[in-house]
Structure formats: C-alpha cells, structure tokens
C-alpha cells in the first residue's frame, strides 16, 4: 500500500457514513413518492389556471363534477395509504374542487415528511423491486426474450453506424 494512505481505513468501518453515503444520489422511497405528489400539485395548478406549459405526467385524480377522487402511486404501483377506505378500489374521494385537491396534496406532503407513511411506502417499493428482480431473472433464462434483446441491440448498432457514416460524409 502507498505510504500516503497507510493510516486510512475502508469507509465500511463507519456504518453510519457508509449507509448514508453508499449512493448519495439515491432517494428514499418516501422522497420518490413525495416527488410524485409534487407532480400532482403541478398538474392541479395547471388544471386550475390552464396557463403555461402543460406539465407531463399521469393524473392521480379524476372528477365527476361534484367530487374528486385520487389514487396514489409509487412508480406504477398503487399505494394504499388508508387501506380501510381503499377496499373497493385504490382511490378515495379527497376533495370537492381543484383548490381543495391542491390543499390536500400539500397536506399529504407534510404527512409523508413526518414519516407517518414510511412503512407503507417502503413495503410498496420493496415489493416493486422484488417483482422487477424476479422478471429480470426470468428474462435472463428465456431464449425468446434473449433473442429479441440481441435483435434490438443489432438494430441500435446498425442505426448508430448509419448515423456515424452520414455524419462523416
């Protein structure tokens, strides 16, 4: 070992540092969920004003003209924040108009920040990761999937070579 680093030790010896900094860009499931709520607030603001550039994203809410129901997603997975109200469907009535909906989502961010729903959100995130890993494992063993994957890679390589040839000409 280089003399300069002789007194250094692996970061893994500092469990707290290692856990917090192993991937400094990684967001907690609650942070990811909160970003989804923030996108909903932007969509609601646009729906209220109908001005500016329409935000991208799928609305978690729908109105029948009298009430607004909302569901909640972590990526594509439903999050049942109030299971006792979500037995029939993963949506619940949360507001009577868009202003109330905006206030509801703003309040929900505060509730998520408090950690009140961490266990529910973490379970949904863990289930989603487990499903993705199972699908990945299945696909790695599927000859049809692997053949299609190779075809897609060949098409991309062909397209890239064509673009490079055109750029060079």
């Amino acid at each position: 070992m280089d003399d300069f680093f002789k007194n250094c030790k692996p970061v893994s010896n500092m469990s707290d540092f290692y856990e917090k900094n192993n991937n400094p860009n990684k967001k907690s499931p609650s942070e990811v969920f909160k970003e989804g709520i923030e996108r909903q607030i932007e969509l609601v603001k646009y729906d209220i004003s109908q001005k500016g550039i329409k935000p991208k994203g799928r609305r978690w809410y729908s109105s029948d003209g009298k009430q607004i129901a909302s569901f909640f997603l972590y990526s594509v997975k439903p999050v049942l924040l109030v299971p006792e109200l979500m037995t029939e469907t993963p949506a619940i009535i949360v507001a009577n108009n868009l202003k109330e909906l905006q206030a509801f989502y703003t309040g929900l961010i505060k509730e998520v920040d408090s950690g009140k729903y961490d266990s529910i959100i973490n379970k949904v995130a863990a289930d989603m990761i487990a499903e993705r890993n199972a699908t990945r494992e299945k696909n790695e063993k599927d000859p049809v999937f692997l053949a299609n994957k190779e075809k897609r890679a060949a098409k991309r390589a062909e397209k890239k070579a064509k673009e490079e040839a055109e750029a060079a000409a």
Side-chain angles (χ1 to χ4, degrees):
M1 180 188 309
D2 188 344
D3 283 339
F4 182 76
F5 291 102
K6 69 182 177 195
N7 293 323
C8 298
K9 298 175 186 161
V11 172
S12 59
N13 291 349
M14 293 174 55
S15 62
D16 187 46
F17 176 87
Y18 185 71
E19 296 204 2
K20 288 181 182 172
N21 296 290
N22 192 18
N23 182 351
N25 296 321
K26 186 175 180 182
K27 297 175 184 163
S28 73
S30 291
E31 290 171 322
V32 171
F33 183 66
K34 188 172 130 180
E35 287 177 354
I37 300 166
E38 289 166 347
R39 277 192 302 278
Q40 294 308 304
I41 291 172
E42 292 304 313
L43 289 163
V44 172
K45 286 179 181 178
Y46 177 81
D47 286 348
I48 290 169
S49 71
Q50 294 292 313
K51 294 179 183 171
I53 298 171
K54 184 177 181 181
K56 292 183 181 180
R58 176 181 178 195
R59 283 167 176 71
W60 293 357
Y61 55 93
S62 179
S63 174
D64 66 359
K66 297 176 187 169
Q67 298 174 316
I68 300 174
S70 180
F71 55 88
F72 313 100
L73 295 176
Y74 179 88
S75 185
V76 297
K77 291 286 186 195
V79 179
L80 304 180
L81 295 175
V82 193
E84 61 273 14
L85 295 178
M86 299 173 146
T87 56
E88 301 164 4
T89 175
I92 56 174
I93 297 168
V94 296
N96 294 315
N97 58 56
L98 290 172
K99 290 274 189 196
E100 286 180 12
L101 180 62
Q102 183 178 349
F104 172 82
Y105 284 142
T106 301
L108 182 56
I109 286 176
K110 290 176 185 166
E111 292 289 303
V112 171
D113 281 342
S114 77
K116 184 175 183 177
Y117 298 106
D118 283 356
S119 62
I120 295 170
I121 296 166
N122 290 341
K123 179 167 180 3
V124 172
D127 290 349
M128 186 182 75
I129 289 168
E131 285 179 28
R132 285 183 178 171
N133 289 340
T135 299
R136 198 172 288 125
E137 283 181 34
K138 182 186 121 208
N139 288 342
E140 288 172 356
K141 297 173 186 173
D142 182 354
V144 174
F145 176 85
L146 293 173
N148 288 335
K149 183 177 177 181
E150 286 179 24
K151 286 179 189 175
R152 289 190 305 271
K155 276 187 175 181
R156 281 192 304 272
E158 184 181 314
K159 181 179 177 183
K160 183 178 179 183
K162 183 180 176 183
E163 289 171 355
E164 289 173 353
E166 289 172 358

mmCIF file of all heavy atoms in Angstrom, residues 12-48:
data_model
loop_
_atom_site.group_PDB
_atom_site.id
_atom_site.type_symbol
_atom_site.label_atom_id
_atom_site.label_comp_id
_atom_site.label_asym_id
_atom_site.label_seq_id
_atom_site.Cartn_x
_atom_site.Cartn_y
_atom_site.Cartn_z
ATOM 1 N N SER A 12 -16.437 1.288 5.104
ATOM 2 C CA SER A 12 -17.359 0.312 5.687
ATOM 3 C C SER A 12 -17.177 0.185 7.194
ATOM 4 O O SER A 12 -18.054 -0.304 7.888
ATOM 5 C CB SER A 12 -17.215 -1.049 5.014
ATOM 6 O OG SER A 12 -15.885 -1.506 5.162
ATOM 7 N N ASN A 13 -16.038 0.648 7.730
ATOM 8 C CA ASN A 13 -15.831 0.642 9.180
ATOM 9 C C ASN A 13 -16.691 1.682 9.879
ATOM 10 O O ASN A 13 -16.839 1.656 11.086
ATOM 11 C CB ASN A 13 -14.358 0.890 9.518
ATOM 12 C CG ASN A 13 -13.477 -0.272 9.116
ATOM 13 O OD1 ASN A 13 -13.972 -1.344 8.774
ATOM 14 N ND2 ASN A 13 -12.182 -0.068 9.126
ATOM 15 N N MET A 14 -17.218 2.638 9.135
ATOM 16 C CA MET A 14 -18.103 3.669 9.677
ATOM 17 C C MET A 14 -19.502 3.384 9.158
ATOM 18 O O MET A 14 -19.929 3.950 8.176
ATOM 19 C CB MET A 14 -17.675 5.063 9.205
ATOM 20 C CG MET A 14 -16.365 5.541 9.727
ATOM 21 S SD MET A 14 -15.898 7.117 8.972
ATOM 22 C CE MET A 14 -17.277 8.160 9.313
ATOM 23 N N SER A 15 -20.238 2.502 9.805
ATOM 24 C CA SER A 15 -21.520 2.048 9.268
ATOM 25 C C SER A 15 -22.474 3.188 8.969
ATOM 26 O O SER A 15 -23.153 3.181 7.955
ATOM 27 C CB SER A 15 -22.170 1.037 10.197
ATOM 28 O OG SER A 15 -22.425 1.647 11.444
ATOM 29 N N ASP A 16 -22.539 4.187 9.836
ATOM 30 C CA ASP A 16 -23.463 5.298 9.615
ATOM 31 C C ASP A 16 -23.101 6.057 8.345
ATOM 32 O O ASP A 16 -23.942 6.325 7.503
ATOM 33 C CB ASP A 16 -23.461 6.242 10.822
ATOM 34 C CG ASP A 16 -24.527 7.314 10.705
ATOM 35 O OD1 ASP A 16 -25.668 6.955 10.352
ATOM 36 O OD2 ASP A 16 -24.217 8.492 10.966
ATOM 37 N N PHE A 17 -21.828 6.374 8.171
ATOM 38 C CA PHE A 17 -21.373 7.085 6.969
ATOM 39 C C PHE A 17 -21.628 6.232 5.727
ATOM 40 O O PHE A 17 -22.132 6.697 4.730
ATOM 41 C CB PHE A 17 -19.882 7.407 7.070
ATOM 42 C CG PHE A 17 -19.328 8.050 5.834
ATOM 43 C CD1 PHE A 17 -19.392 9.424 5.679
ATOM 44 C CD2 PHE A 17 -18.762 7.298 4.811
ATOM 45 C CE1 PHE A 17 -18.885 10.035 4.538
ATOM 46 C CE2 PHE A 17 -18.269 7.890 3.675
ATOM 47 C CZ PHE A 17 -18.326 9.266 3.532
ATOM 48 N N TYR A 18 -21.280 4.953 5.825
ATOM 49 C CA TYR A 18 -21.409 4.056 4.678
ATOM 50 C C TYR A 18 -22.860 3.952 4.226
ATOM 51 O O TYR A 18 -23.143 4.037 3.042
ATOM 52 C CB TYR A 18 -20.867 2.678 5.051
ATOM 53 C CG TYR A 18 -20.844 1.712 3.884
ATOM 54 C CD1 TYR A 18 -19.947 1.880 2.851
ATOM 55 C CD2 TYR A 18 -21.731 0.650 3.822
ATOM 56 C CE1 TYR A 18 -19.925 1.006 1.778
ATOM 57 C CE2 TYR A 18 -21.710 -0.227 2.756
ATOM 58 C CZ TYR A 18 -20.799 -0.046 1.737
ATOM 59 O OH TYR A 18 -20.777 -0.903 0.686
ATOM 60 N N GLU A 19 -23.783 3.811 5.174
ATOM 61 C CA GLU A 19 -25.193 3.682 4.803
ATOM 62 C C GLU A 19 -25.727 4.954 4.186
ATOM 63 O O GLU A 19 -26.486 4.921 3.231
ATOM 64 C CB GLU A 19 -26.019 3.279 6.018
ATOM 65 C CG GLU A 19 -25.608 1.907 6.508
ATOM 66 C CD GLU A 19 -26.677 1.203 7.284
ATOM 67 O OE1 GLU A 19 -27.772 1.744 7.428
ATOM 68 O OE2 GLU A 19 -26.403 0.092 7.731
ATOM 69 N N LYS A 20 -25.350 6.107 4.709
ATOM 70 C CA LYS A 20 -25.859 7.378 4.202
ATOM 71 C C LYS A 20 -25.215 7.759 2.874
ATOM 72 O O LYS A 20 -25.813 8.447 2.071
ATOM 73 C CB LYS A 20 -25.611 8.502 5.208
ATOM 74 C CG LYS A 20 -26.483 8.438 6.422
ATOM 75 C CD LYS A 20 -26.182 9.591 7.346
ATOM 76 C CE LYS A 20 -27.025 9.499 8.602
ATOM 77 N NZ LYS A 20 -26.630 10.491 9.580
ATOM 78 N N ASN A 21 -23.967 7.340 2.657
ATOM 79 C CA ASN A 21 -23.215 7.829 1.508
ATOM 80 C C ASN A 21 -22.861 6.759 0.488
ATOM 81 O O ASN A 21 -22.105 7.023 -0.441
ATOM 82 C CB ASN A 21 -21.931 8.523 1.994
ATOM 83 C CG ASN A 21 -22.266 9.741 2.811
ATOM 84 O OD1 ASN A 21 -22.743 10.719 2.283
ATOM 85 N ND2 ASN A 21 -22.045 9.653 4.104
ATOM 86 N N ASN A 22 -23.377 5.565 0.659
ATOM 87 C CA ASN A 22 -23.078 4.496 -0.284
ATOM 88 C C ASN A 22 -23.494 4.903 -1.685
ATOM 89 O O ASN A 22 -22.790 4.671 -2.639
ATOM 90 C CB ASN A 22 -23.764 3.202 0.140
ATOM 91 C CG ASN A 22 -23.263 2.012 -0.639
ATOM 92 O OD1 ASN A 22 -22.207 2.057 -1.251
ATOM 93 N ND2 ASN A 22 -24.030 0.939 -0.606
ATOM 94 N N ASN A 23 -24.645 5.517 -1.814
ATOM 95 C CA ASN A 23 -25.094 6.091 -3.081
ATOM 96 C C ASN A 23 -25.746 7.421 -2.746
ATOM 97 O O ASN A 23 -26.938 7.477 -2.456
ATOM 98 C CB ASN A 23 -26.074 5.166 -3.794
ATOM 99 C CG ASN A 23 -26.504 5.732 -5.133
ATOM 100 O OD1 ASN A 23 -26.214 6.876 -5.469
ATOM 101 N ND2 ASN A 23 -27.210 4.933 -5.902
ATOM 102 N N PRO A 24 -24.967 8.498 -2.784
ATOM 103 C CA PRO A 24 -25.512 9.782 -2.348
ATOM 104 C C PRO A 24 -26.655 10.296 -3.217
ATOM 105 O O PRO A 24 -27.414 11.153 -2.785
ATOM 106 C CB PRO A 24 -24.299 10.721 -2.406
ATOM 107 C CG PRO A 24 -23.329 10.058 -3.303
ATOM 108 C CD PRO A 24 -23.582 8.590 -3.203
ATOM 109 N N ASN A 25 -26.809 9.768 -4.424
ATOM 110 C CA ASN A 25 -27.885 10.220 -5.302
ATOM 111 C C ASN A 25 -29.170 9.429 -5.114
ATOM 112 O O ASN A 25 -30.203 9.780 -5.664
ATOM 113 C CB ASN A 25 -27.451 10.138 -6.768
ATOM 114 C CG ASN A 25 -26.298 11.068 -7.050
ATOM 115 O OD1 ASN A 25 -26.250 12.177 -6.535
ATOM 116 N ND2 ASN A 25 -25.357 10.614 -7.850
ATOM 117 N N LYS A 26 -29.091 8.358 -4.358
ATOM 118 C CA LYS A 26 -30.260 7.508 -4.164
ATOM 119 C C LYS A 26 -31.260 8.191 -3.243
ATOM 120 O O LYS A 26 -30.911 8.696 -2.186
ATOM 121 C CB LYS A 26 -29.852 6.164 -3.570
ATOM 122 C CG LYS A 26 -30.999 5.198 -3.475
ATOM 123 C CD LYS A 26 -30.546 3.849 -3.001
ATOM 124 C CE LYS A 26 -31.728 2.916 -2.924
ATOM 125 N NZ LYS A 26 -31.354 1.613 -2.439
ATOM 126 N N LYS A 27 -32.507 8.196 -3.665
ATOM 127 C CA LYS A 27 -33.574 8.798 -2.876
ATOM 128 C C LYS A 27 -34.312 7.702 -2.129
ATOM 129 O O LYS A 27 -34.428 6.582 -2.611
ATOM 130 C CB LYS A 27 -34.552 9.537 -3.794
ATOM 131 C CG LYS A 27 -33.903 10.684 -4.520
ATOM 132 C CD LYS A 27 -34.860 11.311 -5.488
ATOM 133 C CE LYS A 27 -34.138 12.399 -6.254
ATOM 134 N NZ LYS A 27 -34.828 12.787 -7.435
ATOM 135 N N SER A 28 -34.825 8.063 -0.983
ATOM 136 C CA SER A 28 -35.617 7.109 -0.217
ATOM 137 C C SER A 28 -36.950 6.914 -0.933
ATOM 138 O O SER A 28 -37.387 7.781 -1.697
ATOM 139 C CB SER A 28 -35.861 7.628 1.195
ATOM 140 O OG SER A 28 -36.799 8.685 1.170
ATOM 141 N N PRO A 29 -37.619 5.787 -0.678
ATOM 142 C CA PRO A 29 -38.939 5.597 -1.281
ATOM 143 C C PRO A 29 -39.901 6.739 -0.950
ATOM 144 O O PRO A 29 -40.680 7.169 -1.804
ATOM 145 C CB PRO A 29 -39.412 4.274 -0.682
ATOM 146 C CG PRO A 29 -38.142 3.522 -0.432
ATOM 147 C CD PRO A 29 -37.161 4.576 0.011
ATOM 148 N N SER A 30 -39.825 7.277 0.262
ATOM 149 C CA SER A 30 -40.706 8.389 0.628
ATOM 150 C C SER A 30 -40.391 9.640 -0.189
ATOM 151 O O SER A 30 -41.299 10.379 -0.571
ATOM 152 C CB SER A 30 -40.606 8.690 2.122
ATOM 153 O OG SER A 30 -41.172 7.627 2.855
ATOM 154 N N GLU A 31 -39.112 9.877 -0.466
ATOM 155 C CA GLU A 31 -38.742 11.029 -1.305
ATOM 156 C C GLU A 31 -39.265 10.863 -2.726
ATOM 157 O O GLU A 31 -39.763 11.815 -3.328
ATOM 158 C CB GLU A 31 -37.227 11.211 -1.316
ATOM 159 C CG GLU A 31 -36.654 11.701 -0.007
ATOM 160 C CD GLU A 31 -35.137 11.664 0.036
ATOM 161 O OE1 GLU A 31 -34.522 10.715 -0.506
ATOM 162 O OE2 GLU A 31 -34.561 12.586 0.623
ATOM 163 N N VAL A 32 -39.180 9.641 -3.244
ATOM 164 C CA VAL A 32 -39.690 9.361 -4.591
ATOM 165 C C VAL A 32 -41.204 9.578 -4.618
ATOM 166 O O VAL A 32 -41.754 10.208 -5.533
ATOM 167 C CB VAL A 32 -39.330 7.922 -5.035
ATOM 168 C CG1 VAL A 32 -40.030 7.551 -6.322
ATOM 169 C CG2 VAL A 32 -37.815 7.778 -5.163
ATOM 170 N N PHE A 33 -41.892 9.075 -3.597
ATOM 171 C CA PHE A 33 -43.342 9.233 -3.506
ATOM 172 C C PHE A 33 -43.711 10.709 -3.401
ATOM 173 O O PHE A 33 -44.636 11.191 -4.064
ATOM 174 C CB PHE A 33 -43.874 8.450 -2.302
ATOM 175 C CG PHE A 33 -45.363 8.483 -2.157
ATOM 176 C CD1 PHE A 33 -46.185 7.881 -3.106
ATOM 177 C CD2 PHE A 33 -45.959 9.110 -1.080
ATOM 178 C CE1 PHE A 33 -47.567 7.913 -2.978
ATOM 179 C CE2 PHE A 33 -47.336 9.144 -0.941
ATOM 180 C CZ PHE A 33 -48.143 8.543 -1.898
ATOM 181 N N LYS A 34 -42.964 11.444 -2.592
ATOM 182 C CA LYS A 34 -43.214 12.877 -2.417
ATOM 183 C C LYS A 34 -43.059 13.616 -3.749
ATOM 184 O O LYS A 34 -43.851 14.508 -4.058
ATOM 185 C CB LYS A 34 -42.253 13.437 -1.373
ATOM 186 C CG LYS A 34 -42.527 14.854 -0.977
ATOM 187 C CD LYS A 34 -41.637 15.242 0.189
ATOM 188 C CE LYS A 34 -40.941 16.534 -0.104
ATOM 189 N NZ LYS A 34 -40.074 16.993 0.957
ATOM 190 N N GLU A 35 -42.076 13.240 -4.545
ATOM 191 C CA GLU A 35 -41.914 13.861 -5.868
ATOM 192 C C GLU A 35 -43.139 13.606 -6.745
ATOM 193 O O GLU A 35 -43.542 14.469 -7.517
ATOM 194 C CB GLU A 35 -40.654 13.344 -6.556
ATOM 195 C CG GLU A 35 -39.385 13.897 -5.959
ATOM 196 C CD GLU A 35 -38.129 13.323 -6.587
ATOM 197 O OE1 GLU A 35 -38.215 12.396 -7.425
ATOM 198 O OE2 GLU A 35 -37.039 13.801 -6.224
ATOM 199 N N GLY A 36 -43.722 12.425 -6.619
ATOM 200 C CA GLY A 36 -44.951 12.130 -7.353
ATOM 201 C C GLY A 36 -46.088 13.045 -6.925
ATOM 202 O O GLY A 36 -46.858 13.537 -7.759
ATOM 203 N N ILE A 37 -46.194 13.297 -5.638
ATOM 204 C CA ILE A 37 -47.233 14.209 -5.134
ATOM 205 C C ILE A 37 -46.977 15.619 -5.653
ATOM 206 O O ILE A 37 -47.909 16.320 -6.067
ATOM 207 C CB ILE A 37 -47.277 14.201 -3.588
ATOM 208 C CG1 ILE A 37 -47.593 12.799 -3.058
ATOM 209 C CG2 ILE A 37 -48.311 15.200 -3.078
ATOM 210 C CD1 ILE A 37 -47.331 12.634 -1.572
ATOM 211 N N GLU A 38 -45.711 16.032 -5.647
ATOM 212 C CA GLU A 38 -45.370 17.370 -6.152
ATOM 213 C C GLU A 38 -45.755 17.521 -7.631
ATOM 214 O O GLU A 38 -46.220 18.582 -8.053
ATOM 215 C CB GLU A 38 -43.884 17.649 -5.934
ATOM 216 C CG GLU A 38 -43.549 17.851 -4.465
ATOM 217 C CD GLU A 38 -42.065 17.811 -4.146
ATOM 218 O OE1 GLU A 38 -41.263 17.385 -5.024
ATOM 219 O OE2 GLU A 38 -41.696 18.193 -3.020
ATOM 220 N N ARG A 39 -45.586 16.447 -8.409
ATOM 221 C CA ARG A 39 -46.016 16.482 -9.819
ATOM 222 C C ARG A 39 -47.529 16.647 -9.907
ATOM 223 O O ARG A 39 -48.043 17.346 -10.778
ATOM 224 C CB ARG A 39 -45.568 15.218 -10.556
ATOM 225 C CG ARG A 39 -44.141 15.280 -11.047
ATOM 226 C CD ARG A 39 -43.797 14.160 -12.007
ATOM 227 N NE ARG A 39 -43.986 12.821 -11.464
ATOM 228 C CZ ARG A 39 -43.107 12.200 -10.682
ATOM 229 N NH1 ARG A 39 -41.996 12.780 -10.347
ATOM 230 N NH2 ARG A 39 -43.348 10.984 -10.235
ATOM 231 N N GLN A 40 -48.252 16.004 -8.989
ATOM 232 C CA GLN A 40 -49.709 16.137 -8.986
ATOM 233 C C GLN A 40 -50.112 17.578 -8.685
ATOM 234 O O GLN A 40 -51.045 18.113 -9.293
ATOM 235 C CB GLN A 40 -50.341 15.177 -7.978
ATOM 236 C CG GLN A 40 -50.164 13.723 -8.322
ATOM 237 C CD GLN A 40 -50.597 13.389 -9.730
ATOM 238 O OE1 GLN A 40 -51.731 13.640 -10.123
ATOM 239 N NE2 GLN A 40 -49.682 12.836 -10.518
ATOM 240 N N ILE A 41 -49.400 18.212 -7.768
ATOM 241 C CA ILE A 41 -49.697 19.613 -7.453
ATOM 242 C C ILE A 41 -49.491 20.483 -8.686
ATOM 243 O O ILE A 41 -50.308 21.364 -8.979
ATOM 244 C CB ILE A 41 -48.846 20.100 -6.261
ATOM 245 C CG1 ILE A 41 -49.296 19.395 -4.980
ATOM 246 C CG2 ILE A 41 -48.933 21.622 -6.109
ATOM 247 C CD1 ILE A 41 -48.406 19.649 -3.768
ATOM 248 N N GLU A 42 -48.429 20.222 -9.444
ATOM 249 C CA GLU A 42 -48.187 20.988 -10.678
ATOM 250 C C GLU A 42 -49.315 20.759 -11.684
ATOM 251 O O GLU A 42 -49.765 21.700 -12.345
ATOM 252 C CB GLU A 42 -46.830 20.624 -11.291
ATOM 253 C CG GLU A 42 -45.646 21.074 -10.456
ATOM 254 C CD GLU A 42 -45.657 22.569 -10.173
ATOM 255 O OE1 GLU A 42 -45.872 23.365 -11.111
ATOM 256 O OE2 GLU A 42 -45.473 22.951 -8.994
ATOM 257 N N LEU A 43 -49.780 19.527 -11.795
ATOM 258 C CA LEU A 43 -50.886 19.225 -12.706
ATOM 259 C C LEU A 43 -52.172 19.924 -12.255
ATOM 260 O O LEU A 43 -52.918 20.477 -13.076
ATOM 261 C CB LEU A 43 -51.111 17.714 -12.798
ATOM 262 C CG LEU A 43 -50.032 16.934 -13.556
ATOM 263 C CD1 LEU A 43 -50.122 15.449 -13.250
ATOM 264 C CD2 LEU A 43 -50.136 17.180 -15.048
ATOM 265 N N VAL A 44 -52.437 19.928 -10.948
ATOM 266 C CA VAL A 44 -53.623 20.602 -10.422
ATOM 267 C C VAL A 44 -53.531 22.100 -10.694
ATOM 268 O O VAL A 44 -54.506 22.718 -11.148
ATOM 269 C CB VAL A 44 -53.792 20.338 -8.903
ATOM 270 C CG1 VAL A 44 -54.906 21.199 -8.325
ATOM 271 C CG2 VAL A 44 -54.084 18.870 -8.639
ATOM 272 N N LYS A 45 -52.374 22.696 -10.437
ATOM 273 C CA LYS A 45 -52.193 24.133 -10.694
ATOM 274 C C LYS A 45 -52.477 24.449 -12.161
ATOM 275 O O LYS A 45 -53.129 25.449 -12.474
ATOM 276 C CB LYS A 45 -50.774 24.581 -10.333
ATOM 277 C CG LYS A 45 -50.522 24.681 -8.855
ATOM 278 C CD LYS A 45 -49.078 25.102 -8.604
ATOM 279 C CE LYS A 45 -48.755 25.197 -7.140
ATOM 280 N NZ LYS A 45 -47.336 25.553 -6.912
ATOM 281 N N TYR A 46 -51.985 23.585 -13.057
ATOM 282 C CA TYR A 46 -52.243 23.798 -14.481
ATOM 283 C C TYR A 46 -53.740 23.676 -14.768
ATOM 284 O O TYR A 46 -54.304 24.480 -15.502
ATOM 285 C CB TYR A 46 -51.456 22.814 -15.350
ATOM 286 C CG TYR A 46 -51.782 22.977 -16.802
ATOM 287 C CD1 TYR A 46 -51.193 23.984 -17.553
ATOM 288 C CD2 TYR A 46 -52.713 22.150 -17.422
ATOM 289 C CE1 TYR A 46 -51.520 24.176 -18.889
ATOM 290 C CE2 TYR A 46 -53.041 22.326 -18.751
ATOM 291 C CZ TYR A 46 -52.442 23.341 -19.482
ATOM 292 O OH TYR A 46 -52.776 23.518 -20.799
ATOM 293 N N ASP A 47 -54.385 22.669 -14.192
ATOM 294 C CA ASP A 47 -55.821 22.481 -14.425
ATOM 295 C C ASP A 47 -56.638 23.661 -13.894
ATOM 296 O O ASP A 47 -57.674 24.000 -14.466
ATOM 297 C CB ASP A 47 -56.303 21.174 -13.787
ATOM 298 C CG ASP A 47 -55.848 19.939 -14.559
ATOM 299 O OD1 ASP A 47 -55.360 20.091 -15.699
ATOM 300 O OD2 ASP A 47 -55.981 18.834 -14.016
ATOM 301 N N ILE A 48 -56.168 24.298 -12.837
ATOM 302 C CA ILE A 48 -56.862 25.463 -12.293
ATOM 303 C C ILE A 48 -56.703 26.665 -13.230
ATOM 304 O O ILE A 48 -57.671 27.326 -13.571
ATOM 305 C CB ILE A 48 -56.346 25.812 -10.874
ATOM 306 C CG1 ILE A 48 -56.787 24.740 -9.880
ATOM 307 C CG2 ILE A 48 -56.836 27.189 -10.429
ATOM 308 C CD1 ILE A 48 -56.127 24.847 -8.510
#
